[in-house]
C-alpha cells in the first residue's frame, strides 16, 4: 500500500480530481432530482393538489417523464462520446461536456412556468453527463499506472457519490424555505461543475495513449513525465506503446462497432456491458431517484434527513476503494458486494411487504439500517467497480466504443426502471425491492462465470490475455510475454531509472521481432 501511495502522487491525484468534476455533476443532478421530488415548493410549482393527502404532489406521469428523459439525455451523450474523444481528443471533450452542462442548467433555471422546459434542460444536462460517463473512466484508466489504476479510476465513483451527498444536503437545508428558492438554489449550485471544468481546463493533459495513437510522440513523453515524475523513463514507455500499437494494427486490426462483437473482443464487450447493466438492475436508479418518495410512502417521518444519512455513509465508505480494488482485486469485491446487496434488498422487502400502516418505529429503523448498509456495500463494490472494469477492459483500438456500449447498457437499463418504477412502487409498495434483490443473485452468477481478475495488469497485458483466450481463473497467474510484458515492466519500475542504452536495445530488439513475425 505504501508503494501505491508513492506512485499515486499529487499530480495524478489532482488530474483525477479535475477529470472527475463531470462525475460530481452526474451525482449532483441525480441527487437533487430524487430529493427535490419530496420538496413541497417543487411539487406546488410543477404538480397538482392532492385532496386525499392534503398537499401538492407530482403526478406519476410527471415523475416518470422527468426521471426517464434524463436517462434519454445520457444515451445521447454516450452516442456522441466516442466520436468526440476520437476526433477532438480526450481533453477537448472535457470542454464539450462543460458547454452542454452549462446550457442545460440555464434552461432548468429559466423554467419559471413550464415543467417541460425543465425536462428539456435535464436532457441537455444529462447529455453532458453521458459524455462524462464515457470520458472520465477511460481517461483515468489511460493515465494510470497498473498497480493504482483501480484506485485512481475510483475517483469517478467517489465524486459521483459526493455529488449525490452534496445535492441531498442542499435540498435538506432548503426544505424550510417557503418560496421557489427552495429548489432553485439547488439548481444554481449545479453551475459549480462546468465552472470547475472551465477554470481547470488548462491543467488537464491529453491522454498519453491517445497521443501515441495519433503519432504525437513528443507530446506523449511530456505528459508521461508530468504525470509520473521527471525521473521516469518516458522514452522507453512511449516507444513500447508505439510498437504495441503497430502490432495491434497489423495483426488484430479493429476499428468499427461491429468489431466489438467479434473474436476475443466479444468477451470484453459482454463483461463491460454485463457489469454496467447489472449495476443498474440491482437498484441504483431506484435508490438515487425514488428512495425519498419510497420512504415517504412507507410513513418515514423525515425521509430527506434519512437520505442524507444514507448518502453520507456511502461517500465515507467509498474512500476505502482508493486502496482495496488494487489490493483485493475487482472480481472478489464484486462477488461479495452482490451477496451483500441481495441480502439488504430482500431484508427491506420482507419488512415492508405489508405496507406502511403496519410498519412500527423499530421496523422503520431496521429499514434505514439495511438501506444504509446497501448504500455502503454499493459504494465499496459495484458502484466503483462497474466504471473501473468498463474503463480498462476494452482493447486500445476499441476502448472508446467498448465504454460506449457499457454506458449504453447501463443507461438503457435505467430508462425502463425510471419510467416503470413509480407505477410498480405505487402498486406493490416495499415489495419492489424483491425485484432488485433477485438481480443481485443474477449478478453473483455472472461474475463467477464470466469476469476475470484484472488487478495489477497493464492495459496491454489485458490485450494479450484476451487475444490468447486465457481462461478466467488463470488470469492472476498468467505470465505475459513480448511487448505487453515489457510495457508492464517499465510501468511497474517507475521508481527506478533504467539505463538509456538498455532501453534502446530492448526497443530495437522488440521492433526487430515484430518485423519478422
Amino acid at each position: 500500500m505504501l508503494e501505491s501511495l508513492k506512485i499515486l502522487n499529487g499530480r495524478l491525484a489532482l488530474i483525477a480530481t479535475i477529470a472527475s468534476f463531470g462525475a460530481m455533476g452526474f451525482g449532483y443532478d441525480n441527487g437533487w432530482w430524487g430529493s427535490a421530488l419530496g420538496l413541497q415548493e417543487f411539487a406546488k410549482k410543477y404538480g397538482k393538489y392532492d385532496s386525499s393527502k392534503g398537499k401538492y404532489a407530482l403526478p406519476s406521469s410527471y415523475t416518470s417523464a422527468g426521471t426517464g428523459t434524463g436517462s434519454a439525455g445520457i444515451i445521447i451523450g454516450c452516442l456522441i462520446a466516442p466520436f468526440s474523444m476520437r476526433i477532438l481528443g480526450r481533453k477537448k471533450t472535457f470542454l464539450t461536456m462543460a458547454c452542454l452542462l452549462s446550457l442545460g442548467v440555464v434552461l432548468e433555471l429559466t423554467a419559471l412556468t413550464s415543467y417541460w422546459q425543465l425536462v428539456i434542460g435535464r436532457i441537455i444536462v444529462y447529455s453532458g453527463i453521458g459524455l462524462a460517463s464515457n470520458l472520465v473512466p477511460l481517461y483515468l484508466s489511460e493515465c494510470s499506472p497498473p498497480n493504482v489504476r483501480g484506485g485512481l479510476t475510483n475517483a469517478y465513483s467517489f465524486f459521483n457519490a459526493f455529488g449525490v451527498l452534496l445535492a441531498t444536503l442542499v435540498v435538506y437545508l432548503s426544505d424550510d424555505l417557503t418560496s421557489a428558492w427552495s429548489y432553485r438554489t439547488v439548481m444554481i449550485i449545479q453551475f459549480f461543475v462546468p465552472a470547475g471544468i472551465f477554470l481547470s481546463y488548462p491543467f488537464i493533459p491529453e491522454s498519453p495513449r491517445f497521443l501515441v495513437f495519433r503519432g504525437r510522440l513528443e507530446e506523449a513523453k511530456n505528459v508521461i513525465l508530468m504525470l509520473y515524475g521527471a525521473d521516469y523513463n518516458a522514452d522507453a514507455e512511449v516507444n513500447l506503446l508505439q510498437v504495441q500499437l503497430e502490432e495491434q494494427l497489423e495483426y488484430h486490426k479493429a476499428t468499427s462497432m461491429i468489431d466489438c462483437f467479434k473474436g476475443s473482443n466479444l468477451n470484453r464487450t459482454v463483461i463491460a456491458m454485463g457489469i454496467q447493466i447489472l449495476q443498474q438492475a440491482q437498484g441504483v436508479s431506484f435508490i438515487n431517484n425514488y428512495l425519498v418518495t419510497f420512504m415517504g410512502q412507507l410513513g418515514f417521518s423525515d425521509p430527506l434527513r434519512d437520505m442524507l444519512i444514507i448518502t453520507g455513509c456511502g461517500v465515507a465508505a467509498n474512500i476505502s476503494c482508493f486502496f482495496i480494488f488494487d489490493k483485493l482485486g475487482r472480481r472478489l469485491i464484486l462477488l461479495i458486494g452482490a451477496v451483500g446487496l441481495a441480502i439488504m434488498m430482500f431484508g427491506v422487502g420482507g419488512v415492508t411487504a405489508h405496507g406502511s400502516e403496519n410498519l412500527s418505529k423499530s421496523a422503520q429503523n431496521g429499514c434505514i439500517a439495511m438501506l444504509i448498509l446497501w448504500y455502503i456495500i454499493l459504494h465499496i463494490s459495484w458502484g466503483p467497480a462497474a466504471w473501473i472494469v468498463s474503463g480498462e477492459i476494452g482493447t486500445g483500438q476499441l476502448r472508446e466504443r467498448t465504454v460506449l456500449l457499457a454506458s449504453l447498457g447501463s443507461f438503457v437499463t435505467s430508462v425502463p426502471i425510471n419510467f416503470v418504477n413509480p407505477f410498480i412502487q405505487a402498486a406493490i409498495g416495499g415489495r419492489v425491492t424483491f425485484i432488485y434483490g433477485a438481480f443481485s443473485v443474477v449478478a453473483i452468477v455472472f461474475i463467477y462465470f464470466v469476469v476475470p481478475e484484472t488487478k495489477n495488469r497493464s492495459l496491454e497485458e489485458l490485450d494479450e490475455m484476451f487475444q490468447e483466450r486465457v481462461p478466467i481463473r488463470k488470469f492472476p497467474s498468467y505470465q505475459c510475454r513480448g511487448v505487453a510484458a515489457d510495457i508492464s515492466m517499465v510501468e511497474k519500475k517507475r521508481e527506478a531509472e533504467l539505463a538509456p542504452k538498455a532501453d534502446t536495445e530492448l526497443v530495437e530488439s522488440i521492433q526487430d521481432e515484430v518485423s519478422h513475425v
Side-chain angles (χ1 to χ4, degrees):
M1 184 177 291
L2 290 175
E3 181 182 351
S4 296
L5 286 173
K6 289 180 182 177
I7 296 171
L8 189 61
N9 56 53
R11 291 178 295 273
L12 284 170
L14 178 62
I15 294 303
T17 301
I18 294 171
S20 298
F21 278 152
M24 195 185 304
F26 189 0
Y28 187 88
D29 204 78
N30 262 333
W32 87 256
W33 179 255
S35 298
L37 292 177
L39 289 176
Q40 264 303 288
E41 287 299 324
F42 187 80
K44 185 177 179 181
K45 180 68 176 180
Y46 298 111
K48 299 177 181 178
Y49 187 75
D50 188 337
S51 57
S52 63
K53 296 180 180 179
K55 61 181 181 179
Y56 285 89
L58 283 177
S60 294
S61 59
Y62 275 34
T63 304
S64 177
T67 306
T69 50
S71 298
I74 288 180
I75 292 171
I76 294 171
C78 289
L79 293 172
I80 295 171
F83 303 101
S84 177
M85 288 190 287
R86 185 167 285 256
I87 297 171
L88 300 178
R90 284 45 164 159
K91 180 173 180 174
K92 289 182 180 178
T93 301
F94 279 105
L95 201 59
T96 304
M97 176 180 68
C99 291
L100 285 171
L101 293 173
S102 299
L103 175 60
V105 174
V106 168
L107 285 173
E108 289 179 350
L109 280 171
T110 55
L112 300 179
T113 58
S114 172
Y115 179 77
W116 301 109
Q117 181 181 329
L118 179 67
V119 169
I120 292 171
R122 278 178 56 76
I123 292 174
I124 296 175
V125 167
Y126 269 83
S127 297
I129 287 170
L131 271 179
S133 69
N134 284 252
L135 171 63
V136 177
L138 183 145
Y139 176 80
L140 293 176
S141 70
E142 290 187 339
C143 291
S144 306
N147 50 350
V148 296
R149 189 172 62 242
L152 205 66
T153 309
N154 176 62
Y156 179 88
S157 178
F158 174 80
F159 282 101
N160 190 326
F162 182 77
V164 175
L165 173 63
L166 181 61
T168 306
L169 177 62
V170 173
V171 171
Y172 181 71
L173 294 175
S174 302
D175 190 32
D176 292 332
L177 297 177
T178 57
S179 68
W181 287 105
S182 67
Y183 58 88
R184 295 190 72 193
T185 301
V186 183
M187 296 180 187
I188 289 173
I189 294 176
Q190 289 181 95
F191 271 120
F192 79 87
V193 174
I197 296 171
F198 285 131
L199 292 173
S200 59
Y201 182 75
F203 305 101
I204 302 174
E206 185 55 88
S207 159
R209 282 177 168 82
F210 173 80
L211 292 170
V212 171
F213 180 77
R214 286 296 190 186
R216 294 154 60 181
L217 305 185
E218 285 302 317
E219 291 180 65
K221 292 174 187 177
N222 292 334
V223 170
I224 289 174
L225 289 173
M226 187 269 284
L227 291 175
Y228 302 156
D231 294 334
Y232 183 67
N233 199 320
D235 288 326
E237 176 145 342
V238 168
N239 288 332
L240 288 168
L241 286 171
Q242 186 180 21
V243 171
Q244 196 266 350
L245 174 63
E246 292 170 356
E247 185 182 78
Q248 289 290 313
L249 290 173
E250 185 172 355
Y251 300 110
H252 308 285
K253 188 173 183 179
T255 56
S256 70
M257 192 73 73
I258 295 175
D259 290 320
C260 292
F261 299 95
K262 292 180 179 179
S264 62
N265 291 322
L266 174 61
N267 295 340
R268 305 169 89 149
T269 302
V270 168
I271 292 167
M273 292 186 69
I275 287 180
Q276 289 281 3
I277 289 170
L278 287 169
Q279 183 206 51
Q280 285 292 335
Q282 291 179 84
V284 172
S285 290
F286 164 69
I287 294 293
N288 285 339
N289 293 309
Y290 297 113
L291 185 57
V292 172
T293 55
F294 176 74
M295 290 188 291
Q297 181 186 31
L298 295 174
F300 286 62
S301 60
D302 194 348
L304 281 175
R305 180 203 60 195
D306 296 334
M307 184 66 177
L308 182 60
I309 295 170
I310 291 168
T311 53
C313 290
V315 172
N318 188 268
I319 295 172
S320 66
C321 295
F322 287 105
F323 308 102
I324 63 172
F325 276 97
D326 294 310
K327 187 71 174 177
L328 301 179
R330 287 64 154 156
R331 179 180 161 86
L332 177 62
I333 292 173
L334 283 166
L335 279 171
I336 295 174
V339 172
L341 294 175
I343 292 172
M344 295 306 118
M345 278 297 185
F346 287 142
V348 173
V351 173
T352 62
H354 300 294
S356 59
E357 64 276 5
N358 297 315
L359 205 60
S360 65
K361 185 64 177 178
S362 60
Q364 287 186 2
N365 290 336
C367 286
I368 290 295
M370 285 186 283
L371 289 169
I372 289 173
L373 286 172
W374 188 95
Y375 210 72
I376 289 173
I377 294 168
L378 174 74
H379 282 286
I380 60 174
S381 59
W382 283 79
W387 299 107
I388 292 171
V389 174
S390 61
E392 69 188 1
I393 207 74
T395 186
Q397 300 168 75
L398 296 172
R399 193 164 293 127
E400 300 100 330
R401 291 171 172 80
T402 303
V403 175
L404 163 64
L405 290 169
S407 301
L408 283 177
S410 171
F411 300 126
V412 168
T413 304
S414 74
V415 169
I417 292 174
N418 289 333
F419 275 113
V420 173
N421 188 89
F423 304 103
I424 295 178
Q425 190 172 307
I428 66 174
R431 285 172 290 180
V432 70
T433 58
F434 285 129
I435 299 172
Y436 300 117
F439 278 111
S440 291
V441 176
V442 175
I444 294 169
V445 176
F446 179 80
I447 296 300
Y448 186 80
F449 288 105
V450 179
V451 179
E453 182 53 70
T454 58
K455 73 168 183 174
N456 295 332
R457 295 289 192 176
S458 71
L459 300 178
E460 291 69 33
E461 283 182 299
L462 294 178
D463 272 345
E464 179 180 320
M465 287 190 284
F466 276 105
Q467 286 160 6
E468 294 295 327
R469 300 187 182 277
V470 176
I472 289 171
R473 285 162 185 77
K474 292 187 178 180
F475 263 61
S477 60
Y478 182 78
Q479 295 294 318
C480 289
R481 54 190 180 274
V483 178
D486 294 321
I487 292 173
S488 180
M489 178 189 70
V490 172
E491 290 182 331
K492 291 177 181 178
K493 293 183 177 179
R494 62 187 65 262
E495 296 299 316
E497 286 189 9
L498 299 175
K501 181 178 179 181
D503 288 331
T504 302
E505 292 175 354
L506 175 63
V507 173
E508 288 176 350
S509 67
I510 294 169
Q511 289 174 327
D512 185 62
E513 288 178 15
V514 172
S515 65
H516 286 87
V517 172

